[in-house]
Amino acid sequence: GASEKKIKGYNECFRDSVRIFPMSEKRLVPDFYHIILHILILTNMLSIKDTFTENFADVPADSYYFNAIGSAKAAGIASGDGQNFMPKSTITRQDLITLAYRAFLAKGYITETQDMTSLDIFVDKDSISTYAKTAMTSMVKAGIIKGSENKVNPLGNATRAEVAVMCAKLLELIK
């Protein structure tokens, strides 16, 4: 069904490195995992392996995500707050979309649009932070983001399901 398709999309994103398997509701991964998961998906999906000499201060050198986050920082995809990435924080929908947008823009799979009219269908468009507006409008125009009930919920935390759906849609761009 639909959940198997999402998991297949996750697994395809990771190719031969890490696999995500179906989980029961009782074994949910903590929310902080989403930001790390998203960086791992993006760096694996797009083969982002930029050389870096420095990483964010709060990303331990012995962490399994050290190279992925360092590469994303060097590529200009992840900026954190300048010094810290906050890998144990939740990730908002607008931040999830902005990370994906920067990665896919850098690789030429998506184009930037400054025409913000594609956001007009969302009643909560004014909640989108300034730094995320171009990313949000470009991803809506590309059909990656659809929203729900005339909302895009930019400040809500991204769920695993939303990461999986976005991953599946992004995979279609690179096929």
Side-chain angles (χ1 to χ4, degrees), residues 45-170:
M45 186 188 306
L46 297 172
S47 300
I48 297 169
K49 294 177 178 37
D50 289 38
T51 304
F52 61 96
T53 56
E54 62 180 52
N55 207 331
F56 295 100
D58 62 347
V59 177
D62 63 347
S63 64
Y64 67 93
Y65 49 85
F66 180 81
N67 288 331
I69 292 175
S71 292
K73 180 181 181 184
I77 295 163
S79 57
D81 70 1
Q83 289 190 331
N84 294 304
F85 185 68
M86 301 155 285
K88 294 187 178 179
S89 296
T90 55
I91 184 169
T92 63
R93 289 175 48 79
Q94 70 182 4
D95 289 341
L96 171 90
I97 292 163
T98 299
L99 287 171
Y101 164 75
R102 288 176 185 159
F104 276 74
L105 181 68
K107 292 289 188 173
Y109 290 114
I110 196 165
T111 57
E112 180 178 297
T113 182
Q114 295 293 323
D115 179 7
M116 302 292 162
T117 58
S118 64
L119 297 177
D120 288 344
I121 62 171
F122 303 113
V123 296
D124 58 352
K125 70 178 182 176
D126 293 334
S127 299
I128 301 170
S129 298
T130 303
Y131 72 86
K133 284 192 179 196
T134 299
M136 296 286 279
T137 197
S138 298
M139 295 289 264
V140 167
K141 187 173 180 184
I144 304 301
I145 304 302
K146 302 258 188 240
S148 177
E149 299 176 7
N150 294 337
K151 294 181 181 175
V152 71
N153 192 16
L155 302 178
N157 290 333
T159 66
R160 273 188 304 179
E162 290 166 340
V163 173
V165 169
M166 183 187 296
C167 181
K169 288 180 180 179
L170 291 169

Side-chain angles (χ1 to χ4, degrees), residues 4-16 19 38 40-47 100 103-104 109-110 139 142-145 162-175:
E4 287 96 15
K5 187 174 181 180
K6 289 176 190 173
I7 290 163
K8 184 178 182 225
Y10 259 148
N11 288 339
E12 196 170 329
C13 288
F14 281 108
R15 295 196 180 109
D16 296 323
R19 295 286 185 203
H38 194 59
L40 289 171
I41 288 172
L42 288 173
T43 56
N44 277 285
M45 186 188 306
L46 297 172
S47 300
F104 276 74
Y109 290 114
I110 196 165
M139 295 289 264
I144 304 301
I145 304 302
E162 290 166 340
V163 173
V165 169
M166 183 187 296
C167 181
K169 288 180 180 179
L170 291 169
L171 275 172
E172 293 302 315
L173 292 179
I174 60 177
K175 287 187 176 186

